[in-house]
Each structure stands twice: as structure tokens, then as C-alpha cells.
Amino acid sequence: MGSQVAAGITLYTNHRCPMAHRAHIVLKELDIPFQEEIVDLEVPRTPEYLKINPLGQVPTFIYNGEMIQESAIIAQFLAELASLAFNSFDL
């Protein structure tokens, strides 16, 4: 996939959340590198995280400053992003 697509990808997640796990699966299957930030779901969300996602939910996916917070939409976005990267690759 390469660093072109991966530039600016951050996933706010918790490894015990099944919805966040969906985003992990897609990122790993598409071999897209990303920065991972763990959100502790056992305590109230920090003010810093609530600025990123006012609902305080995970997953939260940030790509080049844009936020997506629904795991199915994250998966669809990543599939389309990978398709664009693959189609622009000179064979």
C-alpha cells in the first residue's frame, strides 16, 4: 500500500471493542500502516478525546484531518482508498 495512502491515518480504538476491531481487520488486511491511539473505555473520556469525537465513542478514524466514527463506513472508505491507490499504480 505504501506511505502515500497511510500518511495522516490515526485510529482511536480499544482492543476490546468489536466495532473498533472491524477497522483493525480492514487496516491489517489491506496492509495499511496507521497510528494507533488506545482509548480507555473504563474511565470517562478525556477532554482532549472529546474534542476529537464529542460522542466519546470508538473507533474514531482520522485521515488527513477528516474524522469518520462508524466502523462500517471506515471499512468502506479504506476499501475505496485502497482501490484508488491500486488503480493508480503503474503495472
Side-chain angles (χ1 to χ4, degrees), residues 23-81:
H24 277 272
I25 291 169
V26 175
L27 285 161
K28 294 293 185 182
E29 286 296 317
L30 294 175
D31 196 26
I32 300 174
F34 62 99
Q35 178 181 343
E36 180 180 67
E37 299 289 336
I38 303 296
V39 176
D40 186 351
L41 300 178
E42 301 296 322
V43 299
R45 306 311 169 259
T46 64
E48 294 82 12
Y49 185 64
L50 292 174
K51 286 180 187 174
I52 295 166
N53 182 338
L55 296 176
Q57 299 171 334
V58 294
T60 299
F61 177 84
I62 308 290
Y63 177 71
N64 291 338
E66 297 295 321
M67 189 257 298
I68 305 173
Q69 63 187 26
E70 294 293 330
S71 63
I73 296 172
I74 293 169
Q76 179 179 353
F77 175 80
L78 288 168
E80 290 173 6
L81 187 66

